[in-house]
Amino acid sequence: MSIKKEIVFLPYKASMWDSLESIWKAAKEIPEYEVYVVPIPYYNKNSDGSFQKFYYEGEQYPSYVPITYYEDYLFEERHPDVIFTHNPYDDCNSVTSVHPIFFSERLRNYTNLLVYIPYFVLNEIKPKKQKQIEKIKHFCTVPGVIYADIVVVQSENIRQIYINELTKWIGEESRKYWEEKILGLGSPKFDKIVSGYQEKWYIPEDWLKIIKKSDGTWKKIFLYNISVGALLKYKEKMLKKIKEVLQVFRENREEITLWWRPHPLIEETMISMEPQLLEKYQRLVEQYKQEKWGIYDDTADFVRSIIVSNAYYGDKSSLVPLYQKTGKPILIQNIENVQDIKR
């Protein structure tokens, strides 16, 4: 009698499930594999690094994904053959933290193979473009990379950057180790975008009222996204920019629908790192919601917004390389030239 191999996927935020989904779909079709999805809890952090609010999002995953509650899966006893994670930070993130029992440093003791796949994708950079690499090299040396047995990144270029940066960090004698450990096989996030065109997307009725013109045809839809990095850099100026953008799109609402999808950690980031911005940001969001001329999308599934929209507008975020896969227009907002807006 053959013994099945046990494979466990450990997502934490439901909105990041796409970074693992295509691998899960492939694994569950193999009869020799016993496959589990075990969403793990996480916390927001206070500015001093202490834990704040507890979150568990197991109920927010797609209905076709069978969920195992994290307290019901006993890792030490079961010792799965493979664990897939997408959280790289352990205790190194200033904004959120998975529960410490799920740090990669510990998980590696409970499996034969710990595989890390980033929850994000990066803008493609050539391995010799060191000035650009400086902005992303911190992703290469996080605990999830160090403690994993295998790391899967989005492309061969990004793989080479990881190898080079880790070799600089540890020493030239480590290069062969990183070359064997880091694989540039692509990102499941790209798979999700490609497969998304075959899906029939549900659009809530109140959103359809905003999208449709009086004759029943659809307006052009702009996906609006602001990044955590831009918020931290520009602070008050970013809030002014959001206000400016909302006014422009409001004035053109008869022909264009704004589909505003915030970064899933934007408010948590403000709580932890820029608390003085939070109330002003929340007022902007609340006014936008109340006026009901545009869509505010904080659901777990961001792929719908990419597939349904006609163009992207916003910051250079991890959504940009995903949106590029659609071939649709991408417009990057200029925060430096923001004007004072009075409404």
Side-chain angles (χ1 to χ4, degrees):
M1 183 179 74
S2 63
I3 299 176
K4 289 189 175 184
K5 288 191 173 183
E6 197 155 303
I7 300 177
V8 181
F9 292 83
L10 297 184
Y12 75 111
K13 286 191 70 66
S15 60
M16 298 173 180
W17 168 239
D18 63 302
S19 62
L20 297 173
E21 185 176 80
S22 64
I23 298 174
W24 166 77
K25 283 183 174 180
K28 72 183 181 66
E29 297 302 320
I30 299 174
E32 294 78 18
Y33 292 169
E34 188 94 34
V35 181
Y36 297 87
V37 178
V38 184
I40 58 179
Y42 68 97
Y43 298 87
N44 286 347
K45 282 187 172 183
N46 295 307
S47 56
D48 63 0
S50 60
F51 288 170
Q52 191 192 60
K53 188 175 178 180
F54 174 92
Y55 291 91
Y56 173 72
E57 298 186 356
E59 72 287 348
Q60 297 182 31
Y61 287 75
S63 58
Y64 55 79
V65 181
I67 298 299
T68 299
Y69 189 56
Y70 68 95
E71 289 185 346
D72 294 335
Y73 190 93
L74 305 178
F75 286 86
E76 290 187 68
E77 292 182 15
R78 302 186 70 112
H79 200 89
D81 295 276
V82 185
I83 293 177
F84 284 91
T85 71
H86 63 188
N87 172 57
Y89 299 115
D90 285 5
D91 60 351
C92 297
N93 191 333
S94 300
V95 178
T96 63
S97 173
V98 299
H99 193 292
I101 64 173
F102 297 108
F103 284 176
S104 56
E105 184 178 9
R106 297 185 181 184
L107 289 176
R108 64 177 177 158
N109 299 317
Y110 304 142
T111 182
N112 300 332
L113 189 71
L114 180 61
V115 182
Y116 163 61
I117 301 175
Y119 69 83
F120 53 85
V121 292
L122 300 167
N123 289 306
E124 283 294 318
I125 302 173
K126 298 291 184 183
K128 294 184 178 180
K129 299 287 186 180
Q130 193 59 41
K131 187 175 180 181
Q132 297 176 41
I133 291 169
E134 288 296 315
K135 298 177 182 178
I136 60 124
K137 70 178 186 180
H138 60 282
F139 291 121
C140 305
T141 55
V142 287
V145 174
I146 303 306
Y147 293 118
D149 298 297
I150 297 291
V151 176
V152 180
V153 295
Q154 69 196 58
S155 68
E156 184 60 28
N157 280 339
I158 299 299
R159 172 180 178 263
Q160 288 300 325
I161 290 169
Y162 269 69
I163 292 169
N164 293 343
E165 292 305 314
L166 285 160
T167 299
K168 290 177 191 175
W169 189 49
I170 300 297
E172 189 60 37
E173 69 279 3
S174 68
R175 181 175 293 275
K176 188 173 188 299
Y177 171 77
W178 302 119
E179 288 176 342
E180 293 175 351
K181 173 173 173 170
I182 299 172
L183 308 177
L185 300 179
S187 172
K189 295 179 79 72
F190 292 141
D191 299 337
K192 183 68 174 177
I193 297 300
V194 173
S195 65
Y197 282 100
Q198 281 74 55
E199 297 183 31
K200 186 175 181 180
W201 296 96
Y202 169 72
I203 309 294
E205 190 60 37
D206 54 339
W207 291 8
L208 285 173
K209 291 177 182 178
I210 297 170
I211 292 171
K212 289 182 178 180
K213 298 180 182 179
S214 57
D215 62 3
T217 61
W218 282 30
K219 306 170 188 176
K220 295 295 183 184
I221 301 172
F222 275 69
L223 172 58
Y224 181 46
N225 175 250
I226 55 175
S227 71
V228 168
L231 173 74
L232 293 176
K233 179 179 180 180
Y234 291 105
K235 300 180 176 62
E236 291 280 354
K237 186 176 280 191
M238 171 57 84
L239 298 184
K240 290 181 180 179
K241 182 64 179 181
I242 295 171
K243 192 172 182 180
E244 176 185 276
V245 169
L246 295 183
Q247 177 166 313
V248 170
F249 278 94
R250 186 177 186 276
E251 291 169 354
N252 291 276
R253 64 188 181 278
E254 298 302 320
E255 297 296 325
I256 298 173
T257 294
L258 184 68
W259 188 311
W260 184 5
R261 183 174 175 83
H263 188 285
L265 294 176
I266 197 107
E267 291 200 17
E268 287 88 344
T269 300
M270 281 186 272
I271 291 169
S272 176
M273 303 179 73
E274 297 292 340
Q276 75 282 0
L277 300 178
L278 181 61
E279 185 177 349
K280 294 179 182 178
Y281 173 80
Q282 289 176 329
R283 282 203 302 266
L284 280 173
V285 170
E286 192 56 36
Q287 182 176 351
Y288 176 73
K289 287 180 178 180
Q290 289 178 358
E291 291 178 351
K292 296 183 179 180
W293 56 265
I295 293 168
Y296 185 80
D297 179 8
D298 57 359
T299 63
D301 193 346
F302 75 92
V303 176
R304 170 176 54 184
S305 64
I306 292 178
I307 301 300
V308 174
S309 62
N310 301 105
Y312 173 95
Y313 179 71
D315 297 321
K316 291 181 180 178
S317 75
S318 59
L319 277 189
V320 171
L322 293 173
Y323 210 89
Q324 287 173 334
K325 293 292 182 180
T326 70
K328 293 183 286 193
I330 296 172
L331 305 169
I332 304 301
Q333 67 181 358
N334 184 348
I335 303 172
E336 296 290 356
N337 69 349
V338 66
Q339 305 293 317
D340 285 322
I341 299 294
K342 295 181 179 179
R343 288 182 59 179

